[in-house]
Amino acid sequence: MPAHVMTVQGPVDPGDLGFTLMHEHLVTRFWHASHRYDLACMPEDRRYVLEELSRLARTGCRTLVDVTPVGINRDPEALREMAERTGIQVVMGCGWYRDSYFPARAEIDRRSVDSLAEEMLAEIKEGVAGSGVRPGIVGEIGTEKDWMSPAEERVHRAAGRAAAAGGLALMTHSFASDIGLWQLRVLREEGVDPAKVVIGHADTYRLKPYHMALLEEGANIEFDTLLWYRPELFDNALDLIRDYVHEGFLGQLLISMDTCKAEHLSFFGGAGMTAVHDRVIPGLLGRGLSEADISAIFVDNPRRILTVETKVPE
Ligand SMILES: [Zn+2]
């Protein structure tokens, strides 16, 4: 297969990716984690999500990456149906999320790292059993705290092996600490090219030396909680992005919304999926970024990261 990006509807030419949101969720359920008492899912009534996706398409967005892992309700067939109905190209993830969300049936603590990797690689090659839908990225895989638990380390190692063997990029979930450096170290040990690693939620730990360390190692950092995690610091996030562009890291920056709960949708009072178009891009242009800079963040960088160059066995 020539260079391509794998969507839930099959491979597409990387040139057709267009404007891309790299870290979203269209179907989720978090309720089964014992500590969750918030409105912890996307609405079961799909009409809300479909309407938001249609609005998103009207802003010019062409592609959305759904990094919902197994264990918080990844649903390949639902993703394919939503892509068909809205015309938005959807790229699906694979792997397991983090400690509280590892499904017991995955037996992550009992199987070998290679066996976990093989399960992901089988999906990458043949599609998720029963649906034929193939993941186009590994992740999001994550850490619960500011350390990596033994089970999380096994998942990171397996995910790294699967991503390296399948030629896919890898998205992490890092939160409110410098754990991204630990994630990157483990992934590098497993042969992953840092240029194919996205440290998700990097904006939840806004220490410049931390971001610089990730960027200087060649990884990509993603600002994706701008409007729901400490939204009072929205302006500060845009200032940081402007600074990193000025410092020469434009090619390693990503921005998304991480829509993952009903309350993030406009129908439920949230910023909605179009907030990148409504608020983020005007804010960046107002800080002196050019249209070409915007295009790098939302078109060129996602295309480079998501393009599968190696031949995936048929
Ligand atoms: Zn996450």
Side-chain angles (χ1 to χ4, degrees):
M1 201 184 290
H4 63 278
V5 173
M6 185 58 70
T7 76
V8 295
Q9 294 168 289
V12 298
D13 186 304
D16 291 336
L17 219 53
F19 191 103
T20 301
L21 291 181
M22 280 293 286
H23 192 127
E24 304 297 329
H25 304 272
L26 301 180
V27 186
T28 57
R29 267 191 91 74
F30 302 95
W31 288 114
H32 61 276
S34 57
H35 61 278
R36 293 301 290 251
Y37 299 97
D38 51 346
L39 180 51
C41 60
M42 287 290 271
E44 303 255 328
D45 185 339
R46 300 263 160 78
R47 284 175 299 182
Y48 294 109
V49 179
L50 286 168
E51 174 57 26
E52 292 251 359
L53 280 175
S54 298
R55 291 183 190 180
L56 186 62
R58 290 198 288 274
T59 70
C61 180
R62 290 276 298 126
T63 306
L64 176 147
V65 182
D66 183 302
V67 284
T68 307
V70 177
I72 57 171
N73 208 24
R74 184 188 64 168
D75 188 336
E77 275 149 3
L79 297 183
R80 183 165 56 195
E81 189 193 325
M82 287 194 260
E84 283 165 0
R85 289 183 61 172
T86 62
I88 295 226
Q89 305 178 107
V90 176
V91 174
M92 183 182 77
C94 64
W96 300 275
Y97 189 27
R98 52 189 167 103
D99 262 341
S100 305
Y101 302 88
F102 289 154
R105 65 180 179 278
E107 298 194 319
I108 283 162
D109 56 342
R110 302 182 190 197
R111 296 161 59 193
S112 70
V113 171
D114 273 336
S115 141
L116 297 169
E118 278 158 22
E119 184 174 334
M120 282 181 256
L121 208 49
E123 288 188 355
I124 293 166
K125 290 177 184 171
E126 292 140 34
V128 177
S131 71
V133 177
R134 292 192 194 185
I137 189 168
V138 175
E140 63 181 298
I141 56 150
T143 39
E144 195 111 351
K145 306 288 187 183
D146 66 348
W147 65 85
M148 191 180 284
S149 76
E152 288 167 348
E153 181 175 340
R154 294 160 68 77
V155 170
H156 275 70
R157 292 197 181 282
R161 286 176 206 181
L168 264 57
L170 192 150
M171 171 75 64
T172 77
H173 164 102
S174 66
F175 219 87
S177 75
D178 63 0
I179 189 69
L181 288 166
W182 190 336
Q183 295 177 326
L184 186 59
R185 188 169 68 242
V186 170
L187 295 171
R188 290 186 82 152
E189 285 170 8
E190 299 299 334
V192 182
D193 177 358
K196 297 287 267 183
V197 175
V198 181
I199 301 298
H201 319 318
D203 52 327
T204 61
Y205 195 65
R206 294 185 196 174
L207 214 50
K208 221 168 174 178
Y210 167 56
H211 289 161
M212 282 297 146
L214 291 168
L215 292 167
E216 279 162 9
E217 284 211 50
N220 307 283
I221 63 170
E222 184 175 81
F223 282 49
D224 53 27
T225 67
L226 299 175
L227 286 164
W228 60 258
Y229 180 73
R230 303 175 73 196
E232 72 279 12
L233 299 180
F234 178 68
D235 284 330
N236 167 264
L238 300 190
D239 289 345
L240 272 179
I241 291 165
R242 174 202 57 205
D243 292 350
Y244 298 155
V245 170
H246 287 166
E247 286 165 45
F249 296 105
L250 176 63
Q252 293 163 257
L253 302 176
L254 297 161
I255 301 175
S256 201
M257 293 296 298
D258 192 16
T259 305
C260 57
K261 295 191 280 184
E263 65 198 54
H264 297 155
L265 299 176
S266 54
F267 298 101
F268 293 80
M273 286 184 172
T274 62
V276 159
H277 177 266
D278 303 334
R279 297 185 57 187
V280 175
I281 292 174
L284 292 172
L285 292 171
R287 282 167 173 76
L289 266 66
S290 67
E291 293 286 353
D293 295 333
I294 301 297
S295 179
I297 293 169
F298 293 103
V299 181
D300 304 342
N301 295 347
R303 182 179 59 225
R304 171 183 63 77
I305 291 163
L306 292 170
T307 296
V308 184
E309 300 282 1
T310 55
K311 187 180 184 305
V312 176
E314 304 300 325

